[in-house]
Amino acid sequence: MSNESTAATGLTPEQRLEAPTTHLIDAGIATICDMTTLRACVAYENTNQERVQILRRLEHRAQEIRTQEE
C-alpha cells in the first residue's frame, strides 16, 4: 500500500471500508480528500467486496472532490 493513500488520515482503504458499522464506513469515505486516496479505495473495494452501495458512495465522493477542485 502506498503512503499516498494513507497520508491525510493515516487510514488504509481496508480500514476505511471494512469498519464494523456503516456509520464508520461513511465517515471513512467522507474523510477522503484527494483522488489518489479515492482511487485506492475503489481499487480495494473492487478487489475485495464489490459492494455496489459502497462503490456508489465512493463515486459520489469523487464528484464532490472534483467540484471542490474547480
Side-chain angles (χ1 to χ4, degrees), residues 2-16:
S2 74
N3 288 337
E4 293 176 33
S5 63
T6 62
T9 63
L11 297 174
T12 66
E14 181 179 12
Q15 290 169 320
R16 290 177 190 278

Side-chain angles (χ1 to χ4, degrees):
M1 185 59 48
S2 74
N3 288 337
E4 293 176 33
S5 63
T6 62
T9 63
L11 297 174
T12 66
E14 181 179 12
Q15 290 169 320
R16 290 177 190 278
L17 301 175
E18 295 298 330
T21 69
T22 56
H23 295 298
L24 291 175
I25 293 171
D26 289 343
I29 292 172
T31 60
I32 297 172
C33 299
D34 60 86
M35 292 305 286
T36 301
T37 302
L38 187 115
R39 286 184 192 106
C41 289
V42 169
Y44 176 83
E45 187 63 24
N46 282 330
T47 301
N48 294 285
Q49 297 290 332
E50 297 184 26
R51 296 171 289 190
V52 174
Q53 187 176 17
I54 299 299
L55 290 168
R56 285 188 185 141
R57 289 180 188 157
L58 290 167
E59 180 181 11
H60 183 259
R61 184 64 187 135
Q63 291 170 350
E64 292 174 343
I65 292 169
R66 286 185 195 109
T67 300
Q68 291 171 358
E69 291 176 349
E70 292 177 352

